Amino acid sequence: MFLQITAQRDPHLIAAAARHGLRRPVLLARLGGWALLGLAVLLQMRGDGLNVALLLAGVVLAVVVPMFLINHGVRRAAGDGPMNLEVSDDGVACSTLESRHAYAWNAFTHVDHLAGQLVLGLGGGRFVQIPTRGLSPQQIHQVLTTAAARGVAVRRG
């Protein structure tokens, strides 16, 4: 199999892929933040006064940390100009005007089939995004089948 794709990077698809890949750490941060906010409210209601440090820590965990995680992931993946992707039996290669990266299939931890894209996870919040806008259903199936045959877990978004 050999598939070559030239695509303009879509910030909306990149943001969706980043949110999908970081959903567990974002959820944990939000839950921790809401727990701290709840504790601050309970202490206030009990008559201990407003614990500003607890309140600020809750806001930081519930709001600032998730925003930072997602924005950092999007900034890292976004760039100017078109992206060229080559998908083969050996792996996936991505190139832009600034760089070229090639990954063997065993470098990927999973493939998520999301709306409008395939997201190949590299671990640590890193991913390779393959837009599916110009691909036929057979080509998408071929990429997913090749990934699965190489031991990469395929998940539906």
Side-chain angles (χ1 to χ4, degrees):
M1 173 191 76
F2 182 77
L3 182 63
Q4 188 169 10
I5 305 162
T6 300
Q8 191 67 28
R9 289 179 271 198
D10 184 345
H12 298 291
L13 289 177
I14 293 170
R19 280 191 305 273
H20 181 77
L22 294 170
R23 65 186 181 273
R24 179 169 291 158
V26 166
L27 177 65
L28 291 174
R30 286 186 176 149
L31 289 174
W34 280 108
L36 291 177
L37 289 170
L39 182 60
V41 168
L42 285 174
L43 291 175
Q44 171 74 22
M45 289 172 51
R46 200 176 84 179
D48 292 343
L50 182 63
N51 188 330
V52 177
L54 202 57
L55 189 66
L56 287 176
V59 169
V60 166
L61 265 178
V63 178
V64 176
V65 169
M67 285 176 46
F68 173 78
L69 287 172
I70 292 170
N71 288 337
H72 179 69
V74 170
R75 273 194 307 273
R76 193 171 52 194
D80 293 330
M83 175 178 57
N84 296 312
L85 292 155
E86 297 172 1
V87 182
S88 69
D89 291 329
D90 297 328
V92 178
C94 312
S95 61
T96 64
L97 294 174
E98 302 91 28
S99 64
R100 178 171 172 80
H101 302 278
Y103 304 96
W105 283 111
N106 63 1
F108 298 111
T109 57
H110 62 274
V111 177
D112 290 321
H113 188 188
L114 304 178
Q117 62 185 327
L118 300 174
V119 180
L120 296 104
L122 289 164
R126 296 180 321 134
F127 58 88
V128 174
Q129 174 198 26
I130 301 175
T132 58
R133 186 176 320 147
L135 301 179
S136 69
Q138 293 82 13
Q139 289 173 316
I140 295 169
H141 178 72
Q142 192 175 20
V143 172
L144 295 173
T145 303
T146 301
R150 300 297 186 274
V152 180
V154 176
R155 307 184 305 201
R156 300 283 174 183

